Amino acid sequence: MNKKKLENVLVINCGSSSVKFEIYNMTDGEKVLAKGLVERIGLQEPMLTFKRADGKKQSEIIRIKDHKEALATVCAKLVDPEIGVLKSLKEVDAIGHRVLHGGSKMTASTLVTEAVKDKIRECFPLGPLHNPANLAGILACEANMPGVPNVAVFDTAFHQTMPPEYAFYAIPREIYEKYDVRKYGFHGTSHRYVTQATARFLNRDLNELNIITCHLGNGSSCAAIKHGKVMDTSMGLTPLQGLVMGTRCGDIDAAVVLYLIRQGMDVDAIDKLLNKQSGFLGVTDIHSSDMRDLIEAKEKGNPTAQLAFDMFLARLTSYIGSYFVTLQKPEAVVFTGGIGENSAYVREQVIARLGVLGCVLDSEKNKVTGKACLISTNDSPLKAIVMPTNEELMIARDTVAIASE
Ligand code: ADP
């Protein structure tokens, strides 16, 4: 059967008040033609930023009231005679959408149909902030570019291979059956991209690759990858579980929530406390959730910054240690995300605690930022690798694979 040749792929990531977009030419070296952002949708003075690959950039306040109108302005910019990158919208061959939550049923990226839209809707309770916005993005693309295939790429899908002993919480089975309460995991598109890229980097067959991937950004998660598939991951029913993050607490005794309710806090206040006011932001007095600020403050002797940093390291290295056992001696620990790709200091501090697992840092190689590199010594039994992630490109690749079928 002849496959359709897809050239231009638009990648969309919709938040409740934002649309991030990136357009790729997939037949010309997966080149980014332009990217940008609509922010403050539904708020005062929404803003569009459009940046072409050659650096030409426009930012303007736009009059829009919802995602559909936001997408209409993005479409107009794509074909704008001054800054656009396409002659006509007919040149958009397919659209890939990041969708946060796919529940237990969406185990892979998929062409958007009415049934798939229903499944995304069914997952609204699991991803109450993101899934409605993700669906709004799909509907907006259908309205603005009728006939162009849309592909949904789920943040949870890559983690669906977790065996039940890792995927389930030790609570009565009927709670899962009734409310879908289990571990799903997030950042799946990033963990998948990095896993594939590491297999290529190490010249290994994906099915033979056993690694620990650490996506360290504003939100952070790690995953135990066995034979190229997820065996365990640190995030759970929601992205709150696991590592200490910019504003999220990560692992916590669930009874803390009960205790706070009994002290008179309501559910929304606790939600905000644990998701938006905790992590680096909550532990420190520096009013920042940014790792760079945390390191700077700690270096100036701020004890709250030191504590938050130590908590981050302690939690992360506990996960790595535990995954080392889960995987029975993986080949490598892989660092990605804003912190993992850019902070030689964080990597050095993590690896300093992994000596017992046989990981030896090469300090010279560790100076790398933002490019794939082996940062452990050549004879280190456990390798350490920096591997930049690219979730948008992964979405674009899935979109080509699925829409050309
Ligand atoms: P998101 O999770 O929102 O995609 P990123 O992956 O871009 O975010 O990661 C953002 C985080 O990366 C911030 O905490 C930022 O401080 C951190 N970061 C970026 N560059 C550096 C650096 N050179 N050193 C330390 N942290 C860095």
Side-chain angles (χ1 to χ4, degrees):
M1 200 170 73
N2 270 343
K3 284 203 165 191
K4 278 180 267 166
K5 189 123 176 115
L6 301 184
E7 188 170 337
N8 299 308
V9 171
L10 182 61
V11 174
I12 298 288
N13 182 354
C14 274
S16 52
S17 66
S18 67
V19 177
K20 278 194 207 143
F21 60 91
E22 197 152 337
I23 182 148
Y24 284 87
N25 183 324
M26 297 301 283
T27 54
D28 183 13
E30 300 181 323
K31 203 159 72 186
V32 177
L33 302 175
K35 60 178 160 182
L37 171 70
V38 183
E39 41 195 337
R40 306 181 56 78
I41 300 169
L43 305 169
Q44 272 191 346
E45 303 197 329
M47 172 93 132
L48 167 72
T49 305
F50 189 94
K51 209 170 149 188
R52 222 162 55 179
D54 62 7
K56 193 166 176 183
K57 185 176 159 183
Q58 278 182 1
S59 289
E60 61 195 88
I61 291 168
I62 49 175
R63 285 228 185 116
I64 52 153
K65 63 174 191 310
D66 55 21
H67 286 84
K68 187 172 161 192
E69 292 184 3
L71 248 307
T73 57
V74 172
C75 287
K77 276 291 165 208
L78 288 174
V79 297
D80 184 271
E82 203 186 315
I83 197 166
V85 289
L86 304 175
K87 288 195 194 72
S88 141
L89 279 181
K90 291 204 177 79
E91 292 176 25
V92 177
D93 293 311
I95 308 162
H97 297 263
R98 180 210 175 207
V99 180
L100 181 84
H101 220 303
S104 294
K105 294 195 185 111
M106 308 312 292
T107 56
S109 303
T110 180
L111 192 68
V112 174
T113 59
E114 289 308 313
V116 169
K117 283 189 265 181
D118 284 344
K119 296 230 169 68
I120 296 172
R121 270 188 208 100
E122 279 167 27
C123 292
F124 278 7
L126 292 169
L129 297 179
H130 292 85
N131 271 42
N134 302 150
L135 183 65
I138 291 171
L139 298 174
C141 286
E142 287 178 340
N144 283 289
M145 289 169 275
V148 180
N150 289 280
V151 170
V153 178
F154 299 91
D155 243 38
T156 47
F158 187 50
H159 299 298
Q160 283 295 309
T161 51
M162 272 188 288
E165 63 271 30
Y166 292 104
F168 287 100
Y169 297 121
I171 56 175
R173 176 89 195 170
E174 62 258 30
I175 297 298
Y176 165 63
E177 281 158 7
K178 197 164 172 194
Y179 300 112
D180 300 313
V181 172
R182 51 158 283 183
K183 244 167 103 164
Y184 292 97
F186 297 85
H187 290 141
T189 310
S190 174
H191 287 290
R192 181 157 60 103
Y193 179 88
V194 165
T195 299
Q196 292 179 1
T198 302
R200 277 195 300 276
F201 181 77
L202 293 173
N203 208 7
R204 289 278 177 290
D205 187 336
L206 188 62
N207 302 321
E208 287 169 10
L209 190 71
N210 299 329
I211 56 171
I212 300 169
T213 50
C214 304
H215 177 111
L216 310 175
N218 285 316
S220 297
S221 65
C222 45
I225 309 287
K226 182 154 185 122
H227 302 152
K229 296 194 173 91
V230 176
M231 195 156 173
D232 196 7
T233 190
S234 58
M235 284 179 169
L237 174 80
T238 77
L240 182 60
Q241 196 182 338
L243 304 178
V244 176
M245 311 178 214
T247 64
R248 289 176 231 153
C249 60
D251 291 339
I252 195 168
D253 181 348
V256 170
V257 176
L258 311 180
Y259 180 79
L260 293 177
I261 291 172
R262 292 192 185 111
Q263 297 309 304
M265 278 183 86
D266 72 27
V267 170
D268 289 337
I270 299 172
D271 189 339
K272 191 168 168 197
L273 179 85
L274 302 180
N275 276 298
K276 301 239 158 73
Q277 300 171 329
S278 294
F280 306 157
L281 185 69
V283 174
T284 66
D285 56 12
I286 62 171
H287 306 295
S288 174
S289 59
D290 193 296
M291 178 55 95
R292 284 164 292 201
D293 297 337
L294 190 70
I295 294 172
E296 196 188 317
K298 142 185 136 56
E299 271 161 14
K300 285 187 186 146
N302 181 317
T304 64
Q306 183 71 52
L307 175 62
F309 189 79
D310 290 344
M311 288 165 93
F312 170 80
L313 276 187
R315 186 80 53 85
L316 175 59
T317 51
S318 293
Y319 266 96
I320 293 172
S322 133
Y323 288 172
F324 189 84
V325 176
T326 302
L327 295 169
Q328 296 291 301
K329 258 189 177 222
E331 180 169 358
V333 177
V334 183
F335 294 89
T336 196
I339 299 172
E341 291 169 30
N342 298 307
S343 182
Y345 178 70
V346 170
R347 294 191 303 253
E348 176 201 299
Q349 293 298 309
V350 173
I351 293 166
R353 285 158 179 78
L354 301 185
V356 69
L357 306 181
C359 192
V360 187
L361 183 74
D362 182 324
S363 306
E364 261 319 295
K365 289 188 194 152
N366 187 40
K367 288 180 180 155
V368 71
T369 52
K371 73 174 196 317
C373 188
L374 179 75
I375 57 166
S376 51
T377 57
N378 287 339
D379 55 0
S380 173
L382 175 64
K383 298 184 177 78
I385 293 169
V386 176
M387 183 57 67
T389 192
N390 195 337
E391 290 161 271
E392 291 76 17
L393 179 57
M394 190 81 253
I395 293 173
R397 284 179 183 166
D398 278 7
T399 303
V400 169
I402 289 165
S404 57
E405 272 169 7

